[in-house]
Amino acid sequence: QVQLVESGGGSVQAGGSLELSCAANGVTSSKRCMGWFRQVLGKEREVVATICPGNTRYVADPVKDRFTISEDNAKNTVDLQMTSLTPEDTAMYYCAARPGGGWSAAESAWPYWGQGTQVTVSS
């Protein structure tokens, strides 16, 4: 079975930093992407950053200069380093896995999801 567990969320002041981690169990490494998405109540879930085979990384424009995605293959984790946080970054952050098929930003294309970890940025 596939299990994704996020951790590292919490409350931080604007301008601060936070690092999220996703422990991925039961996910085949071959041709799989890992990603971070976020969602605010009343809004659609949006892609934040992804990492795919060959260490191909994508970071969404609104956070591309502030967020960094990385993967530790030995530990089977994917991390999201967030800096210069703003209240607009407040959301539930979800880890997702997409085995095979290549990269996609569409939520429906990612079959495996964690339960999420809350990030709250205060001004």
Side-chain angles (χ1 to χ4, degrees):
Q1 62 180 20
V2 176
Q3 182 180 28
L4 306 177
V5 181
E6 304 95 334
S7 63
S11 299
V12 64
Q13 294 283 338
S17 301
L18 208 60
E19 180 173 334
L20 308 182
S21 182
C22 173
N25 296 316
V27 181
T28 303
S29 62
S30 179
K31 295 184 178 181
R32 68 98 176 87
C33 294
M34 298 294 298
W36 284 97
F37 293 70
R38 67 185 183 184
Q39 186 172 25
V40 178
L41 287 176
K43 297 179 63 178
E44 295 184 357
R45 191 170 300 182
E46 62 181 15
V47 63
V48 176
T50 63
I51 184 166
C52 290
N55 199 31
T56 301
R57 304 180 187 186
Y58 165 83
V59 183
D61 285 343
V63 299
K64 64 180 180 181
D65 295 327
R66 302 185 293 114
F67 291 11
T68 302
I69 189 169
S70 62
E71 187 174 26
D72 188 328
N73 290 325
K75 297 181 179 179
N76 203 25
T77 62
V78 59
D79 299 331
L80 183 69
Q81 295 81 41
M82 306 182 293
T83 63
S84 300
L85 288 163
T86 72
E88 287 70 35
D89 295 317
T90 295
M92 184 72 75
Y93 284 71
Y94 297 90
C95 177
R98 174 178 164 80
W103 185 90
S104 176
E107 177 183 350
S108 61
W110 296 74
Y112 305 113
W113 295 85
Q115 294 300 305
T117 184
Q118 179 68 38
V119 171
T120 302
V121 184
S122 60
S123 60

